[in-house]
Amino acid sequence: MAKGKDIEVSKGKLERMPRPASSLADIDRLFDDFIGRRWLRPFGWERPLAEMPEFVPSIDVIEREDEVVVRAEVPGYKKEDIEISVTDSMLTIKGETKTEEKEEKGDYYRCEISHGAFTRMVDLPAKVDDSKAKAAMKDGVLELTLPKVEKSKRRTIAIE
Amino acid sequence: MKKEILDPMDHMLGDFFGHRPARPAALGPSLDVIERDDEVVVRAALPGVSKDDLEVSVSGTLLTLRGGAKAKKKEEEGEYYRAEIPHGPFERTLALPAEVDESKARAAMKDGMLELTLPKLDKAKRRRIRID
């Protein structure tokens, strides 16, 4: 990665902040600590691996007349790293970076992205036919198209 | 129309078992910042963001990532049963560990990950001190 110059990096118009960068970084960190984690733990207990949060992809599920579309954000994962399985109306997405994690040269100044294994299960709004399912990956987003089985297709009921 | 359907029970259980996004979307993309002797590497998780819809700028030791503004808000056919993926513009500014030369910066996007390589300014390069 980072071989070409695909994206232009421009000089920002922002004036330099009058205070030293280190204090700004500290504020940023404090803010992250406060906003990013605390409010998600209403009961105040610490998760055992709080320093390295488990990655769980965000998911959209869209129900159409005769299919269910599922989108999952899996940045940094390749299609070989993802395993998808369906049982009736339960979808399981598993991910694992199979490529050996190479030792990073340098010091981590900030580490928020986790690349480990994950499992995410979601219930679908209808029973789907897994044999006709389609899956595609683009820009770190997995998109699944799952046709519904005949009997769970939506029917419109006319009011007489 | 996009509907936010949030199952409270699922959310509670999800929270309990740690099944939740690592970082709330409102705070912008997740980042790794790695400091090497003469460069700073920044990685950002930007799933679904195209490189034309991303603006990277550097000012002193502040790096700003902006994007998502051009993403078309096309009407989604069907009903949202679950909506967790954030849509719309995002912005994040962070402090870098050293001053960098933005004219020599390199950037690449792959699998929804942005990787920026920012060479440090000469004066910001790390020097090792030998103990005599």
Side-chain angles (χ1 to χ4, degrees):
Chain A
M1 268 182 9
K3 283 277 150 58
K5 195 168 180 176
D6 289 349
I7 300 140
E8 192 146 332
V9 178
S10 65
K11 174 112 178 135
K13 287 178 200 81
L14 264 171
E15 288 301 309
R16 265 201 89 180
M17 301 294 280
R19 57 188 156 203
S22 61
S23 73
L24 194 68
D26 289 345
I27 291 163
D28 195 17
R29 282 208 191 100
L30 262 171
F31 185 76
D32 273 8
D33 272 358
F34 185 70
I35 301 288
R37 294 170 200 122
R38 282 292 154 72
W39 72 289
L40 283 162
R41 286 195 307 265
F43 305 111
W45 34 256
E46 299 286 321
R47 289 183 44 221
L49 294 166
E51 317 79 39
M52 200 61 195
E54 187 196 346
F55 170 72
V56 177
S58 292
I59 285 176
D60 276 3
V61 179
I62 298 139
E63 185 183 6
R64 293 181 187 158
E65 205 161 320
D66 37 47
E67 64 187 14
V68 176
V69 174
V70 179
R71 290 197 195 107
E73 291 190 325
V74 285
Y77 290 83
K78 292 180 176 63
K79 65 176 185 188
E80 306 87 75
D81 299 334
I82 307 285
E83 191 192 304
I84 306 148
S85 56
V86 184
T87 54
D88 261 7
S89 61
M90 183 65 87
L91 173 77
T92 305
I93 302 172
K94 283 186 187 178
E96 195 184 349
T97 39
K98 283 166 187 154
T99 40
E100 272 300 305
E101 197 86 11
K102 60 172 190 282
E103 196 74 21
E104 187 64 56
K105 199 162 45 119
D107 303 325
Y108 271 89
Y109 180 70
R110 186 178 281 275
C111 182
E112 297 169 357
I113 303 171
S114 54
H115 304 275
F118 69 83
T119 302
R120 177 84 204 256
M121 288 171 88
V122 272
D123 57 321
L124 300 172
K127 286 191 179 179
V128 296
D129 184 353
D130 55 283
S131 65
K132 289 182 192 136
K134 276 181 281 182
M137 284 267 267
K138 195 187 172 240
D139 296 334
V141 178
L142 170 73
E143 182 168 303
L144 291 166
T145 310
L146 309 156
K148 290 183 190 174
V149 296
E150 204 60 46
K151 65 173 187 231
S152 65
K153 281 186 186 167
R154 195 187 297 209
R155 281 177 195 85
T156 312
I157 298 159
I159 303 161
E160 286 171 43
Chain B
M1 267 307 283
K2 182 173 167 170
K3 272 188 261 172
E4 295 283 339
I5 300 166
L6 302 170
D7 181 344
M9 195 59 200
D10 184 60
H11 261 248
M12 258 182 71
L13 288 173
D15 237 27
F16 189 80
F17 293 111
H19 289 183
R20 52 164 183 79
R23 188 184 162 80
L27 291 175
S30 293
L31 301 168
D32 277 0
V33 180
I34 298 138
E35 184 181 7
R36 295 180 185 154
D37 286 354
D38 42 22
E39 64 188 12
V40 177
V41 175
V42 178
R43 288 197 194 107
L46 297 164
V49 177
S50 70
K51 65 176 190 190
D52 317 310
D53 197 8
L54 183 66
E55 190 193 312
V56 184
S57 59
V58 179
S59 173
T61 57
L62 292 181
L63 172 77
T64 301
L65 299 175
R66 249 185 230 114
K70 288 181 200 158
K72 275 178 277 163
K73 277 184 200 151
K74 63 165 191 276
E75 197 79 3
E76 186 67 57
E77 189 200 330
E79 299 272 328
Y80 271 87
Y81 181 70
R82 186 176 283 273
E84 297 171 356
I85 299 178
H87 299 273
F90 62 86
E91 180 173 332
R92 185 157 182 206
T93 298
L94 74 148
L96 298 171
E99 277 197 71
V100 296
D101 184 352
E102 82 282 341
S103 66
K104 289 185 190 131
R106 284 169 296 151
M109 282 274 254
K110 199 187 166 224
D111 300 326
M113 292 279 260
L114 168 74
E115 183 166 304
L116 287 169
T117 308
L118 307 158
K120 287 185 189 175
L121 288 179
D122 276 338
K123 61 175 178 167
K125 282 184 185 166
R126 196 185 302 207
R127 286 172 192 85
R128 303 204 182 274
I129 297 162
R130 234 187 42 214
I131 304 163
D132 290 318

